Amino acid sequence: MSQTAGYLTKLQIAPDSTGSAGSYATLANNPKAKIDLKMATVTTTPLGGSGDETKAATIQSFTVSGDVFYDHSDTATGTLEGAVRTQVWAKCYTTATNFISGPCLVTGLSYSEDAAGVSSMSFTLESTGPITRG
Amino acid sequence: MSATAAYKAKLSIAGTSTATTGEACSLVSGKTYQVTSSAKRVLDPAVARTWKDNGSAVSAANIASEDLLFGKVTFVAGYSPTGPITLDGSYYPRVAVAALKNCKADLKQNTKDTTALNTSGDRTLVGVTRSATVSASAYDDLRTDLDSGTSGEQSFVSLLMSRTPKLFELDPTGGGTWVIRAWMVAEGASNSLSADDIVMGDISWTLADQGSATAAAGWEMGAP
């Protein structure tokens, strides 16, 4: 395993195009993001067993959250802002080539303004459909 | 593309409702028209609107929808406008709120899980309700009159105590190119008092009751 400098990663957003990803655009001014890939589990620890807890994997999902220095003219930012009750597609590169992608709902946009700072927007995306690992 | 210093951001609230007659509208696309003057696009939900086509009122049956936050009307598919389209109604000018140290607008889309049997095992969601909150800190005791055009104290404190919904508009970059608007009602107004500091005020607002005759529903964003 080799390490990857964070600046080499990227987050891409595409609008939905009749159920498929439209054209991906890299989210600009994005200093950090977090991708949480989760597998929900159900406890199946049986009676009469060894006493060790056992679990079965059920539903998988991912959440993407992050911040941008706000610029509405950025294509990907505009796609996030325009996705009201519609889905977008997120492609999260964790190295220059490895990615996790899938359709998402934009579940949160938060605009923060501080007179001593820079206009910022944080976002949260929740997956809603098949997850692709590339 | 670059970051924008946040001191340029602008939070505004609705001023005094102002009547307008024969207000010019422009075609957006399809059957949707918008009030041409960006200063007059926030429409007063409490005042009846008459959309006119070439001087004659368009019947309610021919109006598919209105966007009161951005001054738009969409006619039904079967209606063919002659033009020009005009509006008789009232609009709210916006008044910038001064002395803010910071502000934050949180917009949320609530979801319901729709993951089904006989699928790939990937979670699916459907968006349901939306919510919004605005919070801000001010170099102010929150008793400053925000709208000198309306009689009586129109401060953050008086608006909270009167339960008056108010239109909020956030321009995140102050550039007048993209804004977020919502009718909101106050949830809190608090003062911090310290002998070695100036008086600070913190406000928090949430989406107003959508059943109110004086509020339009939800939050929207777009070009002002």
Side-chain angles (χ1 to χ4, degrees):
Chain A
M1 270 179 289
S2 61
Q3 294 121 350
T4 301
Y7 70 84
L8 294 172
T9 63
K10 61 187 174 185
L11 182 58
Q12 294 189 318
I13 306 294
D16 185 70
S17 176
T18 58
S20 299
S23 178
Y24 279 105
T26 298
L27 190 62
N29 304 317
N30 172 217
K32 61 179 177 181
K34 190 176 178 194
I35 302 100
D36 282 310
L37 185 61
K38 283 191 161 60
M39 179 63 73
T41 58
V42 173
T43 301
T44 57
T45 313
L47 298 174
S50 64
D52 298 298
E53 189 177 82
T54 61
K55 295 188 184 238
T58 57
I59 303 299
Q60 68 175 357
S61 64
F62 72 86
T63 301
V64 181
S65 58
D67 303 302
V68 293
F69 300 119
Y70 180 70
D71 179 0
H72 174 70
S73 68
D74 170 57
T75 301
T77 300
T79 300
L80 291 177
E81 290 183 298
V84 177
R85 291 200 177 95
T86 60
Q87 66 186 26
V88 297
W89 294 72
K91 195 174 218 178
C92 313
Y93 282 86
T94 51
T95 68
T97 54
N98 296 341
F99 67 84
I100 300 287
S101 69
C104 301
L105 290 184
V106 179
T107 54
L109 294 176
S110 182
Y111 299 82
S112 295
E113 317 292 341
D114 187 298
V118 174
S119 182
S120 302
M121 184 187 84
S122 59
F123 57 89
T124 305
L125 313 179
E126 305 267 1
S127 71
T128 177
I131 299 172
T132 301
R133 186 180 74 248
Chain B
M1 287 175 282
S2 60
T4 302
Y7 70 82
K8 298 180 181 180
K10 184 166 71 172
L11 183 69
S12 303
I13 60 169
T16 305
S17 181
T18 306
T20 183
T21 304
E23 192 63 43
C25 300
S26 305
L27 177 66
V28 176
S29 66
K31 302 288 185 179
T32 301
Y33 290 77
Q34 183 177 37
V35 171
T36 304
S37 171
S38 62
K40 302 179 182 180
R41 288 178 178 164
V42 179
L43 303 180
D44 188 342
V47 175
R49 296 156 301 283
T50 303
W51 300 92
K52 291 182 175 177
D53 182 3
N54 197 27
S56 298
V58 179
S59 70
N62 284 322
I63 295 176
S65 64
E66 294 175 295
D67 177 352
L68 302 186
L69 292 173
F70 286 89
K72 296 179 183 176
V73 63
T74 300
F75 301 120
V76 299
Y79 182 78
S80 297
T82 302
I85 304 299
T86 59
L87 168 69
D88 294 347
S90 282
Y91 70 92
Y92 279 104
R94 279 90 69 205
V95 180
V97 179
L100 288 180
K101 179 175 186 282
N102 58 51
C103 76
K104 190 176 180 188
D106 282 312
L107 314 176
K108 285 193 168 29
Q109 168 74 70
N110 301 306
T111 60
K112 286 296 181 187
D113 196 314
T114 57
T115 312
L117 301 176
N118 195 29
T119 60
S120 61
D122 298 290
R123 179 189 67 189
T124 59
L125 301 172
V126 164
V128 286
T129 56
R130 295 183 296 155
S131 60
T133 57
V134 168
S135 59
S137 291
Y139 305 107
D140 189 80
D141 71 343
L142 306 180
R143 296 296 303 279
T144 298
D145 197 335
L146 300 166
D147 176 20
S148 58
T150 302
S151 65
E153 180 179 328
Q154 302 292 312
S155 67
F156 281 123
V157 168
S158 68
L159 290 172
L160 180 146
M161 297 178 72
S162 65
R163 301 177 177 83
T164 304
K166 206 72 173 171
L167 184 281
F168 273 71
E169 175 185 278
L170 174 64
D171 182 339
T173 61
T177 56
W178 192 260
V179 297
I180 301 109
R181 290 178 180 153
W183 280 93
M184 313 201 83
V185 67
E187 284 188 305
S190 60
N191 288 124
S192 298
L193 311 175
S194 179
D196 61 352
D197 203 346
I198 58 174
V199 173
M200 296 294 295
D202 291 297
I203 63 165
S204 59
W205 288 62
T206 190
L207 281 181
D209 176 9
Q210 295 178 12
S212 167
T214 59
W219 55 264
E220 299 291 344
M221 56 175 78

